[in-house]
Amino acid sequence: MCIRDRDEETLNDTYETYLNRTFYGFFGTLAGVIITDKLVLPRVAPNFRIKHFRGLLFLGKYALAPLVGFKITRDYFCRDVDRTFRSMAEKYNFNMDHYNRAIDTLQTLAVAARTYSRRPLWSVLQSRPKC
């Protein structure tokens, strides 16, 4: 059973929405940390310094905080994305066995494309027959 064009557009739009939300969640949190660190804190507490654990503090601010922002965005602001993918999986009866079979087929196609053709894999995938 093939996926209808309208459902495929819905899935592509939903995936693009997911990518945009998580991108802005990650980099928005990073921008918030930079603004707080460079603009707000020097005006509020100009003499505040932590002399020990500078490397750990740097990693916590600039690595851990954006990752936490990404996780919060993914878990709480992307619930509609998860619901959309689950409803499409139920609509087309797509379970883990089908997923594993599709991945095996894709890997076999990639090996065949590298072995028997000089075309890249993407051009082989784009020439798939329409349902």
Side-chain angles (χ1 to χ4, degrees), residues 60-89:
K61 284 192 302 191
Y62 292 107
L64 186 64
L67 290 178
V68 168
F70 172 80
K71 180 153 177 55
I72 289 171
T73 303
R74 187 186 68 197
D75 291 347
Y76 297 106
F77 296 119
C78 292
R79 288 184 180 171
D80 59 334
V81 172
D82 187 50
R83 271 189 243 119
T84 302
F85 280 112
R86 287 183 187 273
S87 69
M88 289 293 177

mmCIF file of all heavy atoms in Angstrom, residues 60-89:
data_model
loop_
_atom_site.group_PDB
_atom_site.id
_atom_site.type_symbol
_atom_site.label_atom_id
_atom_site.label_comp_id
_atom_site.label_asym_id
_atom_site.label_seq_id
_atom_site.Cartn_x
_atom_site.Cartn_y
_atom_site.Cartn_z
ATOM 1 N N GLY A 60 28.805 23.668 31.554
ATOM 2 C CA GLY A 60 27.423 23.682 32.020
ATOM 3 C C GLY A 60 26.593 24.748 31.343
ATOM 4 O O GLY A 60 25.447 24.520 30.961
ATOM 5 N N LYS A 61 27.198 25.932 31.175
ATOM 6 C CA LYS A 61 26.454 27.037 30.560
ATOM 7 C C LYS A 61 26.271 26.837 29.060
ATOM 8 O O LYS A 61 25.168 26.987 28.545
ATOM 9 C CB LYS A 61 27.192 28.365 30.787
ATOM 10 C CG LYS A 61 27.047 28.917 32.164
ATOM 11 C CD LYS A 61 27.528 30.345 32.261
ATOM 12 C CE LYS A 61 28.959 30.498 31.849
ATOM 13 N NZ LYS A 61 29.515 31.819 32.190
ATOM 14 N N TYR A 62 27.365 26.549 28.382
ATOM 15 C CA TYR A 62 27.324 26.585 26.925
ATOM 16 C C TYR A 62 27.072 25.235 26.262
ATOM 17 O O TYR A 62 26.881 25.174 25.057
ATOM 18 C CB TYR A 62 28.613 27.197 26.385
ATOM 19 C CG TYR A 62 28.715 28.656 26.718
ATOM 20 C CD1 TYR A 62 29.600 29.107 27.678
ATOM 21 C CD2 TYR A 62 27.898 29.576 26.085
ATOM 22 C CE1 TYR A 62 29.676 30.450 27.994
ATOM 23 C CE2 TYR A 62 27.966 30.913 26.392
ATOM 24 C CZ TYR A 62 28.866 31.348 27.353
ATOM 25 O OH TYR A 62 28.932 32.674 27.664
ATOM 26 N N ALA A 63 27.080 24.150 27.012
ATOM 27 C CA ALA A 63 26.783 22.841 26.426
ATOM 28 C C ALA A 63 25.535 22.225 27.057
ATOM 29 O O ALA A 63 24.628 21.787 26.351
ATOM 30 C CB ALA A 63 27.978 21.900 26.591
ATOM 31 N N LEU A 64 25.484 22.193 28.367
ATOM 32 C CA LEU A 64 24.380 21.517 29.044
ATOM 33 C C LEU A 64 23.066 22.281 28.909
ATOM 34 O O LEU A 64 22.023 21.684 28.654
ATOM 35 C CB LEU A 64 24.732 21.288 30.513
ATOM 36 C CG LEU A 64 23.738 20.463 31.310
ATOM 37 C CD1 LEU A 64 23.682 19.056 30.740
ATOM 38 C CD2 LEU A 64 24.131 20.427 32.766
ATOM 39 N N ALA A 65 23.104 23.594 29.068
ATOM 40 C CA ALA A 65 21.865 24.383 28.991
ATOM 41 C C ALA A 65 21.201 24.270 27.616
ATOM 42 O O ALA A 65 19.988 24.037 27.539
ATOM 43 C CB ALA A 65 22.142 25.837 29.356
ATOM 44 N N PRO A 66 21.930 24.410 26.489
ATOM 45 C CA PRO A 66 21.251 24.223 25.193
ATOM 46 C C PRO A 66 20.731 22.799 24.981
ATOM 47 O O PRO A 66 19.684 22.608 24.360
ATOM 48 C CB PRO A 66 22.340 24.552 24.171
ATOM 49 C CG PRO A 66 23.249 25.467 24.877
ATOM 50 C CD PRO A 66 23.263 24.984 26.294
ATOM 51 N N LEU A 67 21.425 21.802 25.509
ATOM 52 C CA LEU A 67 20.925 20.430 25.377
ATOM 53 C C LEU A 67 19.650 20.224 26.182
ATOM 54 O O LEU A 67 18.743 19.516 25.747
ATOM 55 C CB LEU A 67 22.003 19.439 25.787
ATOM 56 C CG LEU A 67 23.188 19.346 24.826
ATOM 57 C CD1 LEU A 67 24.232 18.373 25.361
ATOM 58 C CD2 LEU A 67 22.750 18.942 23.449
ATOM 59 N N VAL A 68 19.586 20.838 27.352
ATOM 60 C CA VAL A 68 18.355 20.768 28.145
ATOM 61 C C VAL A 68 17.222 21.492 27.407
ATOM 62 O O VAL A 68 16.085 21.014 27.375
ATOM 63 C CB VAL A 68 18.589 21.351 29.559
ATOM 64 C CG1 VAL A 68 17.285 21.559 30.294
ATOM 65 C CG2 VAL A 68 19.508 20.448 30.354
ATOM 66 N N GLY A 69 17.535 22.639 26.800
ATOM 67 C CA GLY A 69 16.531 23.349 25.999
ATOM 68 C C GLY A 69 16.034 22.512 24.837
ATOM 69 O O GLY A 69 14.846 22.494 24.528
ATOM 70 N N PHE A 70 16.959 21.802 24.173
ATOM 71 C CA PHE A 70 16.572 20.912 23.071
ATOM 72 C C PHE A 70 15.654 19.803 23.566
ATOM 73 O O PHE A 70 14.641 19.500 22.944
ATOM 74 C CB PHE A 70 17.831 20.311 22.435
ATOM 75 C CG PHE A 70 17.557 19.252 21.421
ATOM 76 C CD1 PHE A 70 17.194 19.588 20.135
ATOM 77 C CD2 PHE A 70 17.638 17.911 21.759
ATOM 78 C CE1 PHE A 70 16.937 18.611 19.189
ATOM 79 C CE2 PHE A 70 17.384 16.928 20.826
ATOM 80 C CZ PHE A 70 17.024 17.286 19.551
ATOM 81 N N LYS A 71 16.001 19.189 24.706
ATOM 82 C CA LYS A 71 15.196 18.087 25.234
ATOM 83 C C LYS A 71 13.805 18.569 25.645
ATOM 84 O O LYS A 71 12.812 17.896 25.368
ATOM 85 C CB LYS A 71 15.899 17.430 26.412
ATOM 86 C CG LYS A 71 15.112 16.281 26.997
ATOM 87 C CD LYS A 71 15.981 15.285 27.651
ATOM 88 C CE LYS A 71 15.218 14.173 28.311
ATOM 89 N NZ LYS A 71 14.303 13.473 27.431
ATOM 90 N N ILE A 72 13.725 19.725 26.279
ATOM 91 C CA ILE A 72 12.423 20.275 26.664
ATOM 92 C C ILE A 72 11.588 20.566 25.415
ATOM 93 O O ILE A 72 10.399 20.242 25.363
ATOM 94 C CB ILE A 72 12.605 21.534 27.525
ATOM 95 C CG1 ILE A 72 13.140 21.145 28.905
ATOM 96 C CG2 ILE A 72 11.301 22.306 27.658
ATOM 97 C CD1 ILE A 72 13.552 22.304 29.755
ATOM 98 N N THR A 73 12.208 21.150 24.410
ATOM 99 C CA THR A 73 11.488 21.436 23.166
ATOM 100 C C THR A 73 10.996 20.152 22.517
ATOM 101 O O THR A 73 9.845 20.070 22.082
ATOM 102 C CB THR A 73 12.402 22.191 22.189
ATOM 103 O OG1 THR A 73 12.869 23.381 22.818
ATOM 104 C CG2 THR A 73 11.662 22.546 20.922
ATOM 105 N N ARG A 74 11.877 19.152 22.451
ATOM 106 C CA ARG A 74 11.501 17.895 21.796
ATOM 107 C C ARG A 74 10.404 17.166 22.561
ATOM 108 O O ARG A 74 9.468 16.647 21.963
ATOM 109 C CB ARG A 74 12.735 17.003 21.677
ATOM 110 C CG ARG A 74 12.472 15.757 20.859
ATOM 111 C CD ARG A 74 13.642 14.832 20.886
ATOM 112 N NE ARG A 74 13.759 14.314 22.243
ATOM 113 C CZ ARG A 74 14.845 13.742 22.721
ATOM 114 N NH1 ARG A 74 15.904 13.625 21.992
ATOM 115 N NH2 ARG A 74 14.874 13.287 23.953
ATOM 116 N N ASP A 75 10.501 17.134 23.889
ATOM 117 C CA ASP A 75 9.550 16.344 24.675
ATOM 118 C C ASP A 75 8.209 17.034 24.880
ATOM 119 O O ASP A 75 7.182 16.364 24.958
ATOM 120 C CB ASP A 75 10.150 15.995 26.029
ATOM 121 C CG ASP A 75 11.296 15.006 25.916
ATOM 122 O OD1 ASP A 75 11.460 14.408 24.830
ATOM 123 O OD2 ASP A 75 12.040 14.837 26.901
ATOM 124 N N TYR A 76 8.197 18.373 25.001
ATOM 125 C CA TYR A 76 6.960 19.050 25.367
ATOM 126 C C TYR A 76 6.350 19.881 24.247
ATOM 127 O O TYR A 76 5.139 20.046 24.203
ATOM 128 C CB TYR A 76 7.188 19.925 26.600
ATOM 129 C CG TYR A 76 7.568 19.106 27.791
ATOM 130 C CD1 TYR A 76 8.872 19.097 28.262
ATOM 131 C CD2 TYR A 76 6.634 18.289 28.419
ATOM 132 C CE1 TYR A 76 9.234 18.315 29.340
ATOM 133 C CE2 TYR A 76 6.986 17.501 29.487
ATOM 134 C CZ TYR A 76 8.288 17.520 29.949
ATOM 135 O OH TYR A 76 8.642 16.748 31.009
ATOM 136 N N PHE A 77 7.158 20.417 23.344
ATOM 137 C CA PHE A 77 6.613 21.250 22.285
ATOM 138 C C PHE A 77 6.449 20.511 20.964
ATOM 139 O O PHE A 77 5.951 21.084 20.003
ATOM 140 C CB PHE A 77 7.490 22.489 22.079
ATOM 141 C CG PHE A 77 7.517 23.385 23.286
ATOM 142 C CD1 PHE A 77 8.705 23.639 23.937
ATOM 143 C CD2 PHE A 77 6.360 23.959 23.770
ATOM 144 C CE1 PHE A 77 8.739 24.451 25.046
ATOM 145 C CE2 PHE A 77 6.380 24.774 24.879
ATOM 146 C CZ PHE A 77 7.577 25.028 25.521
ATOM 147 N N CYS A 78 6.874 19.272 20.909
ATOM 148 C CA CYS A 78 6.746 18.488 19.669
ATOM 149 C C CYS A 78 5.827 17.288 19.850
ATOM 150 O O CYS A 78 5.961 16.289 19.150
ATOM 151 C CB CYS A 78 8.126 18.037 19.182
ATOM 152 S SG CYS A 78 9.145 19.394 18.625
ATOM 153 N N ARG A 79 4.907 17.377 20.768
ATOM 154 C CA ARG A 79 3.986 16.254 20.973
ATOM 155 C C ARG A 79 3.068 16.046 19.784
ATOM 156 O O ARG A 79 2.702 14.918 19.462
ATOM 157 C CB ARG A 79 3.156 16.483 22.238
ATOM 158 C CG ARG A 79 3.956 16.316 23.495
ATOM 159 C CD ARG A 79 3.095 16.464 24.706
ATOM 160 N NE ARG A 79 3.893 16.288 25.911
ATOM 161 C CZ ARG A 79 3.444 16.530 27.105
ATOM 162 N NH1 ARG A 79 2.213 16.951 27.277
ATOM 163 N NH2 ARG A 79 4.229 16.350 28.150
ATOM 164 N N ASP A 80 2.669 17.130 19.126
ATOM 165 C CA ASP A 80 1.799 16.990 17.952
ATOM 166 C C ASP A 80 2.520 16.283 16.810
ATOM 167 O O ASP A 80 1.905 15.556 16.035
ATOM 168 C CB ASP A 80 1.270 18.346 17.507
ATOM 169 C CG ASP A 80 2.384 19.324 17.162
ATOM 170 O OD1 ASP A 80 3.493 19.177 17.705
ATOM 171 O OD2 ASP A 80 2.132 20.248 16.371
ATOM 172 N N VAL A 81 3.845 16.456 16.727
ATOM 173 C CA VAL A 81 4.625 15.766 15.705
ATOM 174 C C VAL A 81 4.578 14.261 15.956
ATOM 175 O O VAL A 81 4.339 13.462 15.043
ATOM 176 C CB VAL A 81 6.083 16.285 15.706
ATOM 177 C CG1 VAL A 81 6.951 15.457 14.792
ATOM 178 C CG2 VAL A 81 6.120 17.743 15.315
ATOM 179 N N ASP A 82 4.780 13.855 17.199
ATOM 180 C CA ASP A 82 4.741 12.441 17.552
ATOM 181 C C ASP A 82 3.357 11.861 17.279
ATOM 182 O O ASP A 82 3.233 10.757 16.751
ATOM 183 C CB ASP A 82 5.130 12.271 19.013
ATOM 184 C CG ASP A 82 5.271 10.817 19.401
ATOM 185 O OD1 ASP A 82 5.975 10.084 18.670
ATOM 186 O OD2 ASP A 82 4.695 10.415 20.433
ATOM 187 N N ARG A 83 2.311 12.617 17.625
ATOM 188 C CA ARG A 83 0.950 12.137 17.370
ATOM 189 C C ARG A 83 0.685 11.957 15.877
ATOM 190 O O ARG A 83 0.036 10.992 15.475
ATOM 191 C CB ARG A 83 -0.069 13.114 17.963
ATOM 192 C CG ARG A 83 -0.407 12.802 19.394
ATOM 193 C CD ARG A 83 -1.563 13.635 19.885
ATOM 194 N NE ARG A 83 -1.032 14.452 20.976
ATOM 195 C CZ ARG A 83 -1.004 15.780 20.997
ATOM 196 N NH1 ARG A 83 -1.506 16.461 19.995
ATOM 197 N NH2 ARG A 83 -0.482 16.421 21.999
ATOM 198 N N THR A 84 1.196 12.882 15.076
ATOM 199 C CA THR A 84 0.989 12.774 13.629
ATOM 200 C C THR A 84 1.661 11.529 13.069
ATOM 201 O O THR A 84 1.059 10.777 12.290
ATOM 202 C CB THR A 84 1.530 14.024 12.911
ATOM 203 O OG1 THR A 84 0.874 15.173 13.435
ATOM 204 C CG2 THR A 84 1.316 13.937 11.421
ATOM 205 N N PHE A 85 2.907 11.286 13.460
ATOM 206 C CA PHE A 85 3.606 10.107 12.961
ATOM 207 C C PHE A 85 2.957 8.820 13.452
ATOM 208 O O PHE A 85 2.856 7.846 12.708
ATOM 209 C CB PHE A 85 5.086 10.147 13.366
ATOM 210 C CG PHE A 85 5.910 11.025 12.485
ATOM 211 C CD1 PHE A 85 6.457 12.200 12.961
ATOM 212 C CD2 PHE A 85 6.136 10.689 11.162
ATOM 213 C CE1 PHE A 85 7.207 13.019 12.141
ATOM 214 C CE2 PHE A 85 6.885 11.497 10.337
ATOM 215 C CZ PHE A 85 7.426 12.668 10.827
ATOM 216 N N ARG A 86 2.487 8.802 14.694
ATOM 217 C CA ARG A 86 1.809 7.603 15.205
ATOM 218 C C ARG A 86 0.480 7.358 14.484
ATOM 219 O O ARG A 86 0.136 6.224 14.175
ATOM 220 C CB ARG A 86 1.589 7.710 16.705
ATOM 221 C CG ARG A 86 2.859 7.550 17.498
ATOM 222 C CD ARG A 86 2.583 7.584 18.994
ATOM 223 N NE ARG A 86 3.806 7.604 19.726
ATOM 224 C CZ ARG A 86 4.487 6.525 20.089
ATOM 225 N NH1 ARG A 86 4.033 5.335 19.755
ATOM 226 N NH2 ARG A 86 5.605 6.627 20.770
ATOM 227 N N SER A 87 -0.257 8.429 14.210
ATOM 228 C CA SER A 87 -1.544 8.245 13.512
ATOM 229 C C SER A 87 -1.325 7.753 12.082
ATOM 230 O O SER A 87 -2.081 6.917 11.598
ATOM 231 C CB SER A 87 -2.339 9.549 13.520
ATOM 232 O OG SER A 87 -1.723 10.516 12.712
ATOM 233 N N MET A 88 -0.278 8.240 11.426
ATOM 234 C CA MET A 88 0.020 7.743 10.077
ATOM 235 C C MET A 88 0.478 6.291 10.118
ATOM 236 O O MET A 88 0.143 5.504 9.227
ATOM 237 C CB MET A 88 1.100 8.593 9.409
ATOM 238 C CG MET A 88 0.644 9.961 9.032
ATOM 239 S SD MET A 88 -0.585 9.934 7.731
ATOM 240 C CE MET A 88 -0.952 11.662 7.631
ATOM 241 N N ALA A 89 1.247 5.930 11.134
ATOM 242 C CA ALA A 89 1.681 4.539 11.259
ATOM 243 C C ALA A 89 0.481 3.614 11.478
ATOM 244 O O ALA A 89 0.414 2.523 10.915
ATOM 245 C CB ALA A 89 2.674 4.397 12.403
#
